[in-house]
Amino acid sequence: MRTVLLASILHEANSFARRAAPLAHYERQGIFRGAEVSERFRETHTEMGGFLEAADREGWQVVTPIAVPCAPAGPMGAEAFAVFRDTLLQGLREAGQVDGVLLALHGANVAEGEDDPDGAIAQAVRETVGPDVPIMLTLDPHANVSERLAMAVNGLTAYRTHPHTDHKETGLRAAAMLTRVMERGILPSVHLARGYQMRGFDSCRTAPPDGPMQRALTLARGLEGQEPGILEVSIQSGFVLADVWHVGPSVAVTAEGTDPRFRQMAEGLLRFAWDERRNDTVPMISVGEALAQARAVPPGTGPIVIADFGDAPGGGGYGDATALLRGLLDAPFEKDIVFLPLLDPEAVRAARMAGPGARLRLALGGHTAPQHGGGPIEEEYEVLRFSDGRFVHEGPYTAGMIGNFGDSVLLSCRGVRIVVTTFQRNIVDLSQLRIFGIVPEQCGLIALKCMDAFRAAFAPIARSMIACESGGVSSRVQTTLTWEKVRRPIWPLDPEEVVAQAAGYTT
Ligand SMILES: [Zn+2]
């Protein structure tokens, strides 16, 4: 019987967010160890769910030292990073000899004191198992892939959807690569190429059928068919809110042998990303423009959905920016408007003291960085109801996983219902409204904090979807950010002709 180690440590870090995420941040969403991992993840739509399904099918004995679900924030705190890494390595050492490793990492983690924690973890696993044990890796396509990460593993594959709905399929794909390698006994390696740009492949959005990412994925599948030695051509758009050397789009060809054509294939796809660099299928508009667009949407069934990309907890936003809420309160124009979530633990506590039905004056939200997306809104709010903030994802985004807003309250002001929470969370699932008694299908307008990922759940019910930026720290218009560690030259920080020349592209 083969023994395979399965582990997942997922974190996407906005390195510009000024607060590091402490161990408690991850404990809120759950850190799973040993037998808890299969209990919690079996039959979930996650990479680990895919790993476990493959293990059952293949009859592997599994070792599951740790699984940490993704809860994007600022950099991972130093203590959390050390605990996760050491728990994984200790489990690996206790297992003795393993026949293979399946790792799920995000690829855009940054930790306090370590710019490349994903690479550090993979390298430590490699040093522990030695050069002959196959390691297969799954990534989020918003990964900034370092050479260290690519060299530490024998194969890597990123999700092929954004919004991401194929976590499990990606886990199964990595497991299939591992099965092949264990059966054939030929260790593949990763041929990595990284571009001269900070963003590309349209942030890997797959919703537009003819968008850059769908076309790149089609090209990748074509390349895989050209050579029997190629196991996978994986495309990563990168995650731009990280001031690290290895930021930006990359292509990773997992193949047997050292044929220079593998790297040329990867570079060819990066040239495609360069040519398409301005093709951004979701243009950003201001909050004011978004509200004007929303007013012009014809009546119909289902809510108008306005997403604030600028304060998206999934992109490291603080989750308490108020500019969009302010716009709605100043001129409510739809019946049944819902805004969620607004991080304000103090307001939740005050509402708890006042009780259901009470009216109280609050300076709501906007405490973390009023200059980024709006300060507190002083108004009288009515307390509608409370929730412990726990929800189970209906899907399609990680169906079956548990999420947690912490102690939460639903407030009302001028006809706008506002979900106020203790922890910041991206809005990706309709269950996040249902726990407050809100029927999302019947809302007139839902304003939420999230980039792109909300579309999987909300597109089927929405009358219209509008994206805007409030100016929070996950805004993509990074005119106010200072970049210190990024390799240069790089687009769009440096003049296009300088970058094109360095890359050897004739424009
Ligand atoms: Zn992602």
mmCIF file of all heavy atoms in Angstrom, residues 12 70 72 106 108 139-143 159 161-164 167 203-204 237-239 314 397 451 453, ligand 1:
data_model
loop_
_atom_site.group_PDB
_atom_site.id
_atom_site.type_symbol
_atom_site.label_atom_id
_atom_site.label_comp_id
_atom_site.label_asym_id
_atom_site.label_seq_id
_atom_site.Cartn_x
_atom_site.Cartn_y
_atom_site.Cartn_z
ATOM 1 N N GLU A 12 -3.851 34.060 0.763
ATOM 2 C CA GLU A 12 -3.536 35.109 -0.202
ATOM 3 C C GLU A 12 -3.329 36.386 0.595
ATOM 4 O O GLU A 12 -4.208 36.779 1.362
ATOM 5 C CB GLU A 12 -4.692 35.280 -1.188
ATOM 6 C CG GLU A 12 -4.444 36.341 -2.239
ATOM 7 C CD GLU A 12 -5.667 36.505 -3.136
ATOM 8 O OE1 GLU A 12 -6.694 37.038 -2.667
ATOM 9 O OE2 GLU A 12 -5.604 36.085 -4.298
ATOM 10 N N CYS A 70 -8.503 28.881 3.036
ATOM 11 C CA CYS A 70 -8.074 30.221 2.626
ATOM 12 C C CYS A 70 -8.957 31.293 3.245
ATOM 13 O O CYS A 70 -10.173 31.243 3.140
ATOM 14 C CB CYS A 70 -8.123 30.335 1.092
ATOM 15 S SG CYS A 70 -7.169 31.719 0.487
ATOM 16 N N PRO A 72 -8.207 35.156 2.953
ATOM 17 C CA PRO A 72 -7.278 36.215 2.546
ATOM 18 C C PRO A 72 -7.274 37.397 3.510
ATOM 19 O O PRO A 72 -8.286 37.716 4.120
ATOM 20 C CB PRO A 72 -7.807 36.647 1.181
ATOM 21 C CG PRO A 72 -8.559 35.469 0.675
ATOM 22 C CD PRO A 72 -9.160 34.826 1.899
ATOM 23 N N HIS A 106 -1.684 28.385 -1.938
ATOM 24 C CA HIS A 106 -2.334 29.415 -2.754
ATOM 25 C C HIS A 106 -1.379 29.938 -3.823
ATOM 26 O O HIS A 106 -1.731 30.061 -4.989
ATOM 27 C CB HIS A 106 -2.820 30.566 -1.877
ATOM 28 C CG HIS A 106 -3.587 31.592 -2.641
ATOM 29 N ND1 HIS A 106 -2.976 32.453 -3.515
ATOM 30 C CD2 HIS A 106 -4.913 31.872 -2.694
ATOM 31 C CE1 HIS A 106 -3.895 33.225 -4.071
ATOM 32 N NE2 HIS A 106 -5.081 32.897 -3.588
ATOM 33 N N ALA A 108 0.089 32.961 -3.486
ATOM 34 C CA ALA A 108 0.259 34.409 -3.287
ATOM 35 C C ALA A 108 0.317 34.729 -1.797
ATOM 36 O O ALA A 108 -0.195 35.748 -1.352
ATOM 37 C CB ALA A 108 -0.853 35.192 -3.974
ATOM 38 N N LEU A 139 -2.361 25.140 -7.071
ATOM 39 C CA LEU A 139 -2.274 26.575 -6.796
ATOM 40 C C LEU A 139 -3.574 27.252 -7.178
ATOM 41 O O LEU A 139 -4.357 26.733 -7.976
ATOM 42 C CB LEU A 139 -1.150 27.216 -7.626
ATOM 43 C CG LEU A 139 0.293 26.881 -7.277
ATOM 44 C CD1 LEU A 139 1.214 27.526 -8.310
ATOM 45 C CD2 LEU A 139 0.643 27.362 -5.877
ATOM 46 N N ASP A 140 -3.779 28.434 -6.639
ATOM 47 C CA ASP A 140 -4.785 29.367 -7.129
ATOM 48 C C ASP A 140 -4.139 30.078 -8.329
ATOM 49 O O ASP A 140 -2.941 30.372 -8.276
ATOM 50 C CB ASP A 140 -5.098 30.359 -6.012
ATOM 51 C CG ASP A 140 -6.241 31.293 -6.333
ATOM 52 O OD1 ASP A 140 -6.100 32.100 -7.279
ATOM 53 O OD2 ASP A 140 -7.247 31.240 -5.610
ATOM 54 N N PRO A 141 -4.878 30.332 -9.412
ATOM 55 C CA PRO A 141 -4.224 31.020 -10.533
ATOM 56 C C PRO A 141 -3.816 32.460 -10.202
ATOM 57 O O PRO A 141 -3.065 33.067 -10.961
ATOM 58 C CB PRO A 141 -5.277 30.979 -11.641
ATOM 59 C CG PRO A 141 -6.562 30.788 -10.933
ATOM 60 C CD PRO A 141 -6.268 29.996 -9.699
ATOM 61 N N HIS A 142 -4.281 32.989 -9.062
ATOM 62 C CA HIS A 142 -3.779 34.287 -8.609
ATOM 63 C C HIS A 142 -2.484 34.088 -7.817
ATOM 64 O O HIS A 142 -2.260 34.726 -6.790
ATOM 65 C CB HIS A 142 -4.820 34.994 -7.746
ATOM 66 C CG HIS A 142 -6.072 35.327 -8.505
ATOM 67 N ND1 HIS A 142 -7.287 34.738 -8.247
ATOM 68 C CD2 HIS A 142 -6.272 36.161 -9.545
ATOM 69 C CE1 HIS A 142 -8.184 35.213 -9.093
ATOM 70 N NE2 HIS A 142 -7.605 36.079 -9.897
ATOM 71 N N ALA A 143 -1.651 33.189 -8.292
ATOM 72 C CA ALA A 143 -0.394 32.876 -7.616
ATOM 73 C C ALA A 143 0.742 33.673 -8.246
ATOM 74 O O ALA A 143 0.788 33.843 -9.466
ATOM 75 C CB ALA A 143 -0.097 31.381 -7.740
ATOM 76 N N TYR A 159 -6.104 26.248 -10.601
ATOM 77 C CA TYR A 159 -7.517 26.198 -11.005
ATOM 78 C C TYR A 159 -7.647 26.767 -12.417
ATOM 79 O O TYR A 159 -6.895 27.662 -12.805
ATOM 80 C CB TYR A 159 -8.436 27.032 -10.107
ATOM 81 C CG TYR A 159 -8.198 26.991 -8.630
ATOM 82 C CD1 TYR A 159 -8.427 28.135 -7.867
ATOM 83 C CD2 TYR A 159 -7.777 25.837 -7.985
ATOM 84 C CE1 TYR A 159 -8.230 28.134 -6.494
ATOM 85 C CE2 TYR A 159 -7.585 25.826 -6.613
ATOM 86 C CZ TYR A 159 -7.794 26.982 -5.874
ATOM 87 O OH TYR A 159 -7.584 26.990 -4.528
ATOM 88 N N THR A 161 -10.700 28.048 -13.465
ATOM 89 C CA THR A 161 -11.898 28.888 -13.483
ATOM 90 C C THR A 161 -11.683 30.088 -12.571
ATOM 91 O O THR A 161 -10.993 30.003 -11.562
ATOM 92 C CB THR A 161 -13.138 28.129 -12.951
ATOM 93 O OG1 THR A 161 -12.868 27.690 -11.616
ATOM 94 C CG2 THR A 161 -13.497 26.940 -13.824
ATOM 95 N N HIS A 162 -12.278 31.195 -12.933
ATOM 96 C CA HIS A 162 -12.364 32.357 -12.057
ATOM 97 C C HIS A 162 -13.646 33.090 -12.387
ATOM 98 O O HIS A 162 -13.773 33.612 -13.478
ATOM 99 C CB HIS A 162 -11.170 33.282 -12.225
ATOM 100 C CG HIS A 162 -11.248 34.477 -11.311
ATOM 101 N ND1 HIS A 162 -11.725 34.405 -10.022
ATOM 102 C CD2 HIS A 162 -10.930 35.785 -11.516
ATOM 103 C CE1 HIS A 162 -11.695 35.605 -9.475
ATOM 104 N NE2 HIS A 162 -11.228 36.460 -10.350
ATOM 105 N N PRO A 163 -14.649 33.155 -11.494
ATOM 106 C CA PRO A 163 -14.598 32.692 -10.105
ATOM 107 C C PRO A 163 -14.221 31.214 -10.000
ATOM 108 O O PRO A 163 -14.629 30.417 -10.833
ATOM 109 C CB PRO A 163 -16.029 32.915 -9.606
ATOM 110 C CG PRO A 163 -16.605 33.947 -10.520
ATOM 111 C CD PRO A 163 -15.937 33.776 -11.831
ATOM 112 N N HIS A 164 -13.463 30.904 -8.940
ATOM 113 C CA HIS A 164 -12.931 29.548 -8.804
ATOM 114 C C HIS A 164 -14.014 28.579 -8.358
ATOM 115 O O HIS A 164 -14.506 28.676 -7.233
ATOM 116 C CB HIS A 164 -11.807 29.532 -7.767
ATOM 117 C CG HIS A 164 -10.786 30.608 -7.953
ATOM 118 N ND1 HIS A 164 -10.268 30.914 -9.193
ATOM 119 C CD2 HIS A 164 -10.187 31.447 -7.076
ATOM 120 C CE1 HIS A 164 -9.387 31.900 -9.049
ATOM 121 N NE2 HIS A 164 -9.333 32.243 -7.787
ATOM 122 N N HIS A 167 -11.939 23.814 -7.508
ATOM 123 C CA HIS A 167 -10.927 23.432 -6.513
ATOM 124 C C HIS A 167 -10.751 21.914 -6.487
ATOM 125 O O HIS A 167 -9.631 21.403 -6.469
ATOM 126 C CB HIS A 167 -11.346 23.889 -5.113
ATOM 127 C CG HIS A 167 -11.522 25.365 -4.965
ATOM 128 N ND1 HIS A 167 -12.672 26.022 -5.334
ATOM 129 C CD2 HIS A 167 -10.694 26.317 -4.455
ATOM 130 C CE1 HIS A 167 -12.546 27.309 -5.068
ATOM 131 N NE2 HIS A 167 -11.359 27.516 -4.538
ATOM 132 N N SER A 203 -6.647 38.994 -15.216
ATOM 133 C CA SER A 203 -6.814 38.511 -13.832
ATOM 134 C C SER A 203 -7.429 37.115 -13.801
ATOM 135 O O SER A 203 -8.107 36.757 -12.855
ATOM 136 C CB SER A 203 -7.680 39.465 -12.989
ATOM 137 O OG SER A 203 -7.116 40.738 -12.978
ATOM 138 N N CYS A 204 -7.210 36.356 -14.858
ATOM 139 C CA CYS A 204 -7.649 34.959 -15.039
ATOM 140 C C CYS A 204 -9.159 34.775 -15.015
ATOM 141 O O CYS A 204 -9.654 33.687 -14.728
ATOM 142 C CB CYS A 204 -6.933 33.986 -14.099
ATOM 143 S SG CYS A 204 -7.419 34.011 -12.387
ATOM 144 N N SER A 237 -2.279 34.056 -13.418
ATOM 145 C CA SER A 237 -2.325 35.482 -13.764
ATOM 146 C C SER A 237 -1.546 36.320 -12.767
ATOM 147 O O SER A 237 -1.260 37.479 -13.014
ATOM 148 C CB SER A 237 -3.774 35.966 -13.812
ATOM 149 O OG SER A 237 -4.328 36.017 -12.521
ATOM 150 N N GLY A 238 -1.241 35.741 -11.591
ATOM 151 C CA GLY A 238 -0.560 36.499 -10.548
ATOM 152 C C GLY A 238 -1.544 37.260 -9.672
ATOM 153 O O GLY A 238 -2.741 37.306 -9.952
ATOM 154 N N PHE A 239 -1.010 37.819 -8.603
ATOM 155 C CA PHE A 239 -1.800 38.641 -7.672
ATOM 156 C C PHE A 239 -1.021 39.927 -7.447
ATOM 157 O O PHE A 239 0.076 39.924 -6.889
ATOM 158 C CB PHE A 239 -2.020 37.888 -6.356
ATOM 159 C CG PHE A 239 -2.794 38.674 -5.346
ATOM 160 C CD1 PHE A 239 -4.126 39.008 -5.581
ATOM 161 C CD2 PHE A 239 -2.216 39.102 -4.162
ATOM 162 C CE1 PHE A 239 -4.857 39.741 -4.657
ATOM 163 C CE2 PHE A 239 -2.938 39.837 -3.225
ATOM 164 C CZ PHE A 239 -4.260 40.151 -3.479
ATOM 165 N N GLY A 314 -11.327 39.543 0.247
ATOM 166 C CA GLY A 314 -10.600 38.509 -0.489
ATOM 167 C C GLY A 314 -9.346 39.030 -1.167
ATOM 168 O O GLY A 314 -8.494 38.257 -1.597
ATOM 169 N N TYR A 397 -18.947 27.973 -5.024
ATOM 170 C CA TYR A 397 -17.601 28.268 -4.494
ATOM 171 C C TYR A 397 -17.390 27.465 -3.211
ATOM 172 O O TYR A 397 -18.055 27.712 -2.209
ATOM 173 C CB TYR A 397 -17.516 29.778 -4.232
ATOM 174 C CG TYR A 397 -16.141 30.316 -3.987
ATOM 175 C CD1 TYR A 397 -15.407 30.874 -5.022
ATOM 176 C CD2 TYR A 397 -15.570 30.273 -2.722
ATOM 177 C CE1 TYR A 397 -14.146 31.393 -4.804
ATOM 178 C CE2 TYR A 397 -14.314 30.782 -2.496
ATOM 179 C CZ TYR A 397 -13.606 31.343 -3.541
ATOM 180 O OH TYR A 397 -12.363 31.856 -3.313
ATOM 181 N N MET A 451 -14.104 40.886 -5.104
ATOM 182 C CA MET A 451 -13.654 40.989 -6.494
ATOM 183 C C MET A 451 -14.063 39.712 -7.224
ATOM 184 O O MET A 451 -13.691 38.636 -6.789
ATOM 185 C CB MET A 451 -12.140 41.037 -6.586
ATOM 186 C CG MET A 451 -11.451 42.173 -5.919
ATOM 187 S SD MET A 451 -9.668 41.816 -6.007
ATOM 188 C CE MET A 451 -8.991 43.333 -5.401
ATOM 189 N N ALA A 453 -15.096 36.968 -7.459
ATOM 190 C CA ALA A 453 -15.483 35.649 -6.946
ATOM 191 C C ALA A 453 -16.981 35.548 -6.654
ATOM 192 O O ALA A 453 -17.542 34.457 -6.671
ATOM 193 C CB ALA A 453 -14.684 35.315 -5.691
HETATM 194 ZN ZN ZN B 1 -7.860 33.407 -6.779
#
